[in-house]
C-alpha cells in the first residue's frame, strides 16, 4: 500500500518544507516579498537557494533548471549542474541566490512573434515564488517567468500572473463596497480535468501520422466505435489501472492532487481530474501532469495522446477548466449564499461574469483556438464554436424574475429584491448538467469546456480573469459613485440592467443543434468556426483596449501572440499535409499495389486453370477487388499530386492569407485524399495494410 500522506508533495519545496528548512527570519521575509510582490533581497535569496539546494540534493537532484512556459504552450528547461569545481580538484554542490532569482536561457529557439530581434536574442527567466520548486528526474525545477530584455513577456505565465493581480484589485473594491474589511487577497481557483488517449506503443511506432502529428491522418472506422457506451465508467483494464496507479503516485509526489480517474466516452480514452488550487499553481500542475502522463505511459509500453482529435469518428479530448474566485478567508464568491447579503454579492459576481462573456465572447473563442481544437469545437461532440453561458433552469428563472421585478415562486413571496430577498435555494445540479454548453455554471464555479486537451490553460484563464477584472472594475466604479445610502438601490438597478442587456449570452438548450446556430445568429452572437476565423478577433479594438488597460499584455505582446498562434496553425497543417503525402506515397500505394499484384496472380492462376480443365472457375472476388483498388490507387495518386502542388505555393500576402488558404483549399484536399485511402483500407487484406488500424489501436489494450 502506498502511504499517500507520506509521499504527497515529497518532491516539492512547499511552504511546510520552507518553514522547516529556512531560518525563521528568512522564511518571514520571503513570505512578505510574496505578499507585497516586491523584489527579493539578495541575502534572503542566498539563504533560500542554499536550503533549496540541500533539500534537492537529498532528493537526488544533481542539476537545477529554470522551468518556464514559452509561448509554444509547452514547458522548457535547460539544466545546469550544481557542481562547482574546487582548486584542489574536488567538486562541491553550489547554488546561489542569484542563480535562483534570475536565469538567462538561450531564448533564440523559442517563438517570440517578433518581440525579440536576434541581436537581443537572450531572454531572461525570473523566479515566481508563488509557485513551489520541485524535483523531477533528478533536476530541481524552479518555476519562472520568461521575459525579453525589453521586459516583454515571452511566456504564458507572466500575463496570467498579471491577470491574477488585476482581478484581486478589482474584486477587493467590490468586497469593500459590501462592507468586507477582513479579506486581504482574492484569487481565482482552477481545477482542470484532463482527457487523454492511451495506445500501445508498438502500434504507435508504426504510424508516422501519430509520431509526427499526434493524430491519425488516415483510418477507416473500426466495426465497433463508441456506440455501445460501454467504455465510460466501465471497469478499468489491468494495464491501464497499473498506469493510473503509477501516474497518481508520481503526481502526488509532485504535490498534484490527482483525484478522480475514469474512462471517457471514447474507447481508449480516459480522464484525470485534480483537486482545484490557485490558477497559477493549477496551470503549472497541468503542465507537469501532461508531461508525467507521457513519461509514465512510456514506462508501461503505452503512448499517451494529448491531441484534441487523435481518431476521426471517435470523441476528441478536451480539458474542462473549472474556474472560481475566492478570498483568503476561504469564501468562494461564486457560492450562492444563505443570507440576502451573501446573495446580493453572489449575484453581482454572477452578473459580472455573464456581462464579461457576452462582451468578450470572441476573445473566449480566440483563447482556445488551435488546429487541433478545430476538430472538436462545433463538431457536435464538444461545445460549439458559439460561446454561450449555461446557468441552469433554476438560476435562469431567478435571473428572469430579477430582470422583470416579479416574484420567484408561485406562492408569491414577493418580488425578488437584491440585498433584501433571500435567494431561493438553488440545488446543485438540479437540472441535467448540460454537456453541450461551452461555459456552464455548475453550482459554485464555472466550467469552461472548450479548452483543448493539449493546450496550456494559461491562455484561457488569463482571458477569464481579465474579463472578470474589467467588469468588476466597471461595477465598482458605478457603485462607489452611488454612495453608502443608495447602495442597495444602485445594486438592484445594476444587476437588473446587466441581465437585461446581456441575457442573449444565456442559453440552456442543446448547443449541438442547428436550431441553436440559427438562434445564436439572430441574437447576434459570434460563430467563429475555425482558428483562422477566430484569431483576427484577438486584435479587435475592444480586446486591445481590454488587455492594455489592465496591463495584461502590451499591444506589441498581443500582436506577437497573434502571429505565433497563426504561424503555429500554418505549420501544423503543413506538417500534416506532408505526412499524408509521405504515408500515401511510401506506404499506402506500394502496399495496395502489392496486394493488387497478388490478386492478379491468383486471377491469372485461376484463368490458366479454367482453360486447362475447360471449366469456368469463379474469379469475381479477385477481379472486382483488384479493379476497384487499382482505380482507387490512381485516384489517390492524382489527389496526392494535387496536394503536393497546393502546398508548394509560397506567395502569400501574410500569415492570415496563408492560413485561409490552408483552411479553404489544403484541408479539403487532405480530406479527399484521406477518404480515398480509407476506402482502400476497407478493401485491402488486413495483413497487407501497412500500419495498424483503428480497431487495433482502440480496442487492443
Ligand atoms: P464533478 O464535475 O465530477 O461533479 P466536481 O464538481 O467536484 O466534480 O469538480 C470537478 C472539478 O472542478 C475538479 O477538478 C474540482 O477540483 C474542480 N473544482 C471544484 N470546486 C472548484 C472551485 N471552487 N474552483 C475551481 N475548481 C473547482
Ligand atoms: Mg467536467
Amino acid at each position: 500500500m502506498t502511504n499517500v500522506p507520506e509521499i504527497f508533495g515529497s518532491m516539492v519545496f512547499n511552504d511546510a518544507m520552507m518553514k522547516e528548512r529556512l531560518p525563521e527570519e528568512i522564511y518571514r521575509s520571503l513570505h512578505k516579498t510574496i505578499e507585497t510582490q516586491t523584489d527579493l533581497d539578495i541575502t534572503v535569496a542566498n539563504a533560500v537557494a542554499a536550503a533549496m539546494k540541500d533539500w534537492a540534493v537529498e532528493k537526488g537532484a544533481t542539476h537545477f533548471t529554470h522551468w518556464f512556459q514559452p509561448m509554444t504552450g509547452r514547458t522548457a528547461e535547460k539544466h545546469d549542474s550544481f557542481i562547482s569545481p574546487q582548486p584542489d580538484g574536488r567538486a562541491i554542490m553550489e547554488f546561489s541566490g542569484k542563480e535562483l532569482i534570475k536565469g538567462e536561457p538561450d531564448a533564440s529557439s523559442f517563438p517570440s512573434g517578433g518581440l525579440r530581434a536576434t541581436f537581443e536574442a537572450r531572454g531572461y527567466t525570473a523566479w515566481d515564488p508563488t509557485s513551489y520548486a520541485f524535483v523531477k528526474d533528478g533536476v530541481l525545477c524552479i518555476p519562472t517567468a520568461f521575459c525579453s530584455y525589453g521586459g516583454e513577456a515571452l511566456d504564458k505565465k507572466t500575463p496570467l500572473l498579471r491577470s491574477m493581480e488585476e482581478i484581486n484589485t478589482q474584486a477587493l473594491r467590490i468586497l469593500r463596497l459590501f462592507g468586507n474589511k477582513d479579506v486581504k487577497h482574492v484569487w481565482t481557483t482552477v481545477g482542470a480535468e484532463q482527457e487523454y488517449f492511451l495506445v500501445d506503443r508498438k502500434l504507435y511506432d508504426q504510424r508516422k501520422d501519430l509520431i509526427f502529428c499526434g493524430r491519425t491522418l488516415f483510418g477507416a472506422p473500426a466495426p465497433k466505435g463508441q456506440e455501445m457506451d460501454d467504455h465510460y465508467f466501465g471497469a478499468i483494464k489491468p494495464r491501464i489501472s497499473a498506469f493510473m496507479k503509477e501516474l497518481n503516485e508520481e503526481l502526488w509526489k509532485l504535490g498534484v492532487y490527482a483525484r478522480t480517474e475514469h474512462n471517457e466516452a471514447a474507447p481508449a480514452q480516459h480522464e484525470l481530474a485534480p483537486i482545484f488550487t490557485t490558477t497559477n499553481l493549477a496551470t503549472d500542475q497541468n503542465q507537469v501532469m501532461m508531461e508525467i502522463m507521457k513519461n509514465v505511459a512510456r514506462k508501461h509500453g503505452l503512448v499517451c495522446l494529448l491531441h484534441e482529435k487523435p481518431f476521426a469518428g471517435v470523441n476528441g479530448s478536451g480539458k474542462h477548466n473549472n474556474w472560481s474566485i475566492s478570498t483568503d478567508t476561504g469564501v468562494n464568491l461564486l457560492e450562492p449564499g444563505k443570507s440576502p447579503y451573501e446573495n446580493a454579492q453572489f449575484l453581482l459576481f454572477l452578473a459580472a461574469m455573464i456581462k464579461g462573456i457576452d462582451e468578450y465572447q470572441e476573445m473566449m473563442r480566440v483563447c482556445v483556438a488551435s488546429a487541433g481544437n478545430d476538430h472538436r469545437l462545433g463538431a457536435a461532440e464538444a461545445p460549439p464554436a458559439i460561446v454561450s453561458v449555461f446557468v441552469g433552469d433554476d438560476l435562469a428563472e431567478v435571473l428572469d424574475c430579477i430582470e422583470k421585478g416579479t416574484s420567484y415562486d408561485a406562492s408569491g413571496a414577493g418580488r425578488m429584491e437584491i440585498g433584501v430577498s433571500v435567494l431561493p435555494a438553488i440545488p446543485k445540479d438540479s437540472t441535467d448538467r448540460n454537456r453541450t454548453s461551452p461555459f456552464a455554471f455548475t453550482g459554485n464555479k464555472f466550467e469552461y469546456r472548450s479548452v483543448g486537451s493539449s493546450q496550456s490553460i494559461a491562455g484561457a484563464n488569463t482571458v477569464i480573469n481579465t474579463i472578470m477584472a474589467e467588469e468588476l472594475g466597471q461595477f465598482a466604479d458605478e457603485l462607489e459613485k452611488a454612495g453608502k445610502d443608495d447602495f442597495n438601490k444602485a445594486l438592484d438597478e445594476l444587476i437588473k440592467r446587466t441581465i437585461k442587456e446581456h441575457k442573449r449570452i444565456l442559453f440552456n438548450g442543446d448547443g449541438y443543434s442547428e436550431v441553436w446556430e440559427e438562434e445564436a445568429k439572430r441574437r447576434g452572437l459570434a460563430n467563429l468556426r475555425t482558428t483562422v476565423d477566430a484569431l483576427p478577433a484577438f486584435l479587435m479594438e475592444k480586446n486591445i483596449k481590454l488587455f492594455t488597460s489592465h496591463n495584461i499584455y502590451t499591444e506589441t505582446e498581443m500582436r506577437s501572440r497573434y502571429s505565433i498562434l497563426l504561424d503555429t496553425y500554418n505549420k501544423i497543417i503543413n506538417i500534416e499535409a506532408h505526412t499524408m503525402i509521405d504515408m500515401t506515397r511510401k506506404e499506402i500505394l506500394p502496399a495496395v499495389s502489392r496486394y493488387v499484384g497478388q490478386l492478379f496472380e491468383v486471377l491469372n492462376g485461376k484463368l490458366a486453370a479454367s482453360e486447362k480443365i475447360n471449366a469456368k472457375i469463379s474469379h469475381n472476388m479477385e477481379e472486382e477487388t483488384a479493379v476497384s483498388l487499382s482505380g482507387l490507387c490512381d485516384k489517390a495518386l492524382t489527389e496526392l499530386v494535387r496536394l503536393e502542388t497546393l502546398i508548394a505555393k509560397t506567395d502569400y500576402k501574410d500569415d492570415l492569407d496563408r492560413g485561409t488558404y490552408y483552411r479553404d483549399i489544403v484541408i479539403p484536399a487532405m480530406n479527399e485524399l484521406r477518404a480515398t485511402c480509407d476506402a482502400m483500407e476497407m478493401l485491402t487484406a488486413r495483413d497487407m495494410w501497412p500500419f495498424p488500424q483503428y480497431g487495433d489501436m482502440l480496442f487492443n489494450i
Side-chain angles (χ1 to χ4, degrees):
M1 265 306 274
T2 317
N3 185 340
V4 180
E6 193 169 296
I7 66 166
F8 191 85
S10 59
M11 293 307 222
V12 185
F13 197 64
N14 54 23
D15 198 57
M17 206 37 75
M18 291 195 225
K19 203 163 187 172
E20 188 184 311
R21 299 258 178 160
L22 295 174
E24 203 183 317
E25 226 169 286
I26 300 289
Y27 173 79
R28 260 189 284 122
S29 16
L30 177 62
H31 255 259
K32 195 149 186 203
T33 342
I34 295 172
E35 273 156 33
T36 53
Q37 312 258 325
T38 43
D39 282 344
L40 203 58
D41 182 85
I42 191 67
T43 50
V44 177
N46 278 331
V48 176
M52 215 186 246
K53 187 239 355 181
D54 289 343
W55 169 84
V57 169
E58 282 168 35
K59 298 286 173 190
T62 50
H63 290 67
F64 70 93
T65 182
H66 275 200
W67 184 80
F68 59 103
Q69 300 169 27
M71 291 188 277
T72 54
R74 309 274 167 279
T75 51
E77 36 192 87
K78 176 191 152 224
H79 301 166
D80 281 305
S81 93
F82 290 128
I83 291 175
S84 163
Q86 298 300 296
D88 60 0
R90 290 180 311 146
I92 58 163
M93 302 294 249
E94 251 180 3
F95 184 49
S96 70
K98 222 174 100 205
E99 287 170 308
L100 167 67
I101 301 177
K102 197 167 168 175
E104 290 190 32
D106 177 11
S108 54
S109 53
F110 299 105
S112 80
L115 274 183
R116 193 193 47 222
T118 31
F119 65 86
E120 44 168 9
R122 295 168 75 85
Y124 67 90
T125 49
W127 182 34
D128 161 25
T130 61
S131 184
Y132 303 127
F134 54 93
V135 170
K136 174 172 71 67
D137 293 333
V139 179
L140 169 67
C141 299
I142 300 150
T144 53
F146 178 42
C147 298
S148 76
Y149 259 103
E152 285 109 349
L154 290 173
D155 67 348
K156 302 193 77 99
K157 187 189 259 286
T158 308
L160 180 67
L161 289 173
R162 291 172 182 161
S163 76
M164 290 192 63
E165 229 359 79
E166 195 58 14
I167 197 167
N168 171 48
T169 310
Q170 303 305 335
L172 280 178
R173 287 176 67 197
I174 297 285
L175 294 184
R176 298 288 181 259
L177 280 163
F178 277 88
N180 188 320
K181 293 191 189 76
D182 310 333
V183 173
K184 284 197 204 66
H185 210 103
V186 172
W187 48 67
T188 59
T189 52
V190 163
E193 303 165 65
Q194 176 75 47
E195 291 180 335
Y196 60 97
F197 278 85
L198 289 173
V199 295
D200 192 297
R201 181 165 175 190
K202 285 198 283 301
L203 303 179
Y204 170 93
D205 283 341
Q206 295 170 55
R207 294 209 48 140
K208 292 232 166 64
D209 46 7
L210 286 181
I211 294 171
F212 295 138
C213 311
R215 75 174 181 106
T216 55
L217 300 170
F218 300 98
K224 178 181 169 182
Q226 63 193 60
E227 61 274 47
M228 299 293 286
D229 286 327
D230 49 2
H231 185 67
Y232 197 75
F233 288 138
I236 297 173
K237 300 193 180 110
R239 199 167 162 204
I240 302 296
S241 170
F243 158 83
M244 285 179 172
K245 182 169 181 290
E246 187 174 341
L247 175 63
N248 278 339
E249 286 178 13
E250 288 306 310
L251 291 174
W252 289 335
K253 283 185 208 164
L254 290 167
V256 180
Y257 301 90
R259 202 193 50 164
T260 43
E261 50 186 37
H262 58 76
N263 296 341
E264 261 300 325
Q269 192 185 28
H270 309 277
E271 182 192 283
L272 195 148
I275 293 176
F276 69 95
T277 175
T278 59
T279 307
N280 180 32
L281 265 181
T283 304
D284 285 0
Q285 294 193 347
N286 184 252
Q287 294 295 129
V288 170
M289 193 195 277
M290 291 193 283
E291 189 183 326
I292 303 286
M293 276 176 168
K294 292 198 163 223
N295 295 346
V296 174
R298 289 252 156 197
K299 280 210 236 162
H300 290 254
L302 299 163
V303 174
C304 173
L305 303 177
L306 290 171
H307 193 281
E308 284 74 15
K309 193 72 180 177
F311 303 98
V314 170
N315 262 19
S317 302
K319 191 133 53 185
H320 289 176
N321 189 86
N322 294 275
W323 182 97
S324 195
I325 171 168
S326 40
T327 66
D328 58 349
T329 52
V331 178
N332 178 351
L333 297 168
L334 285 178
E335 181 92 50
K338 289 189 185 65
S339 66
Y341 158 89
E342 288 168 320
N343 287 331
Q345 190 175 290
F346 160 71
L347 287 167
L348 186 77
F349 279 92
L350 183 73
M353 196 77 260
I354 291 170
K355 177 170 186 273
I357 301 292
D358 184 27
E359 287 177 343
Y360 298 102
Q361 45 181 291
E362 300 89 352
M363 205 48 229
M364 291 297 288
R365 176 67 183 86
V366 168
C367 68
V368 294
S370 75
N373 221 8
D374 279 0
H375 297 283
R376 280 178 77 232
L377 304 177
E381 56 151 65
I386 305 161
V387 175
S388 66
V389 178
F390 168 89
V391 290
D393 292 339
D394 293 304
L395 198 50
E397 206 184 323
V398 171
L399 296 181
D400 198 49
C401 293
I402 293 171
E403 186 204 339
K404 298 204 176 85
T406 53
S407 98
Y408 173 69
D409 56 53
S411 65
R415 71 182 198 96
M416 187 56 227
E417 200 175 328
I418 310 277
V420 179
S421 317
V422 177
L423 198 66
I426 297 160
K428 241 191 193 180
D429 304 335
S430 65
T431 45
D432 174 32
R433 286 263 290 267
N434 187 329
R435 293 269 155 205
T436 69
S437 174
F439 201 74
F441 182 68
T442 54
N444 59 3
K445 60 186 185 290
F446 276 101
E447 184 169 354
Y448 189 36
R449 303 193 178 119
S450 306
V451 185
S453 49
S454 71
Q455 291 179 314
S456 158
I457 59 170
N461 287 302
T462 302
V463 171
I464 300 172
N465 289 347
T466 309
I467 289 175
M468 195 61 172
E470 165 66 24
E471 305 303 347
L472 292 175
Q474 284 184 24
F475 285 5
D477 288 345
E478 184 170 333
L479 295 172
E480 279 163 5
K481 256 187 231 129
K484 233 185 162 111
D485 296 339
D486 290 327
F487 181 69
N488 267 3
K489 194 163 153 274
L491 188 64
D492 200 74
E493 268 171 30
L494 171 64
I495 294 180
K496 219 181 248 177
R497 194 183 72 230
T498 306
I499 297 167
K500 188 171 263 139
E501 286 172 2
H502 299 284
K503 65 179 175 194
R504 64 166 188 169
I505 198 77
L506 299 177
F507 179 63
N508 285 347
D510 178 6
Y512 297 166
S513 67
E514 273 169 44
V515 183
W516 170 231
E517 245 193 88
E518 283 155 31
E519 167 69 17
K521 200 170 169 187
R522 262 194 304 278
R523 294 190 191 183
L525 299 180
N527 186 1
L528 304 169
R529 285 169 215 276
T530 65
T531 300
V532 179
D533 296 308
L535 289 182
F538 203 167
L539 301 179
M540 284 166 93
E541 211 181 309
K542 67 174 177 187
N543 292 331
I544 295 183
K545 189 160 163 261
L546 171 75
F547 291 113
T548 54
S549 67
H550 290 279
N551 298 317
I552 310 298
Y553 297 117
T554 62
E555 186 171 338
T556 321
E557 286 170 347
M558 288 180 75
R559 291 189 184 280
S560 79
R561 275 154 185 81
Y562 164 80
S563 109
I564 289 170
L565 288 168
L566 204 47
D567 183 50
T568 306
Y569 174 86
N570 291 340
K571 280 179 180 154
I572 288 171
I573 306 299
N574 195 264
I575 292 170
E576 288 186 347
H578 277 105
T579 306
M580 282 193 100
I581 290 168
D582 189 86
M583 287 173 78
T584 309
R585 207 190 268 292
K586 295 186 188 152
E587 297 182 63
I588 298 175
L589 290 178
V592 175
S593 155
R594 238 177 282 134
Y595 182 49
V596 170
Q598 270 187 18
L599 289 169
F600 274 121
E601 242 170 66
V602 176
L603 190 60
N604 287 337
K606 280 189 174 182
L607 287 175
S610 50
E611 225 165 78
K612 207 161 151 193
I613 60 169
N614 202 12
K616 193 167 165 49
I617 298 174
S618 153
H619 54 255
N620 292 352
M621 180 295 228
E622 290 80 9
E623 187 168 346
E624 275 177 28
T625 311
V627 168
S628 303
L629 279 174
S630 299
L632 287 168
C633 273
D634 292 346
K635 186 164 182 276
L637 183 67
T638 311
E639 288 163 352
L640 164 83
V641 171
R642 173 155 179 269
L643 185 57
E644 272 175 335
T645 317
L646 290 177
I647 57 170
K649 177 177 154 89
T650 49
D651 53 333
Y652 300 104
K653 273 206 307 277
D654 53 23
D655 281 349
L656 186 61
D657 182 40
R658 183 175 194 152
T660 310
Y661 174 80
Y662 280 169
R663 182 195 61 191
D664 297 339
I665 312 287
V666 174
I667 292 179
M670 286 165 64
N671 291 341
E672 269 173 42
L673 176 59
R674 174 184 184 141
T676 308
C677 291
D678 290 357
M680 290 197 278
E681 185 185 333
M682 300 289 277
L683 291 175
T684 304
R686 166 184 297 274
D687 64 339
M688 299 291 289
W689 196 250
F691 36 75
Q693 305 182 352
Y694 269 29
D696 307 327
M697 290 181 287
L698 292 169
F699 294 97
N700 87 321
I701 296 172

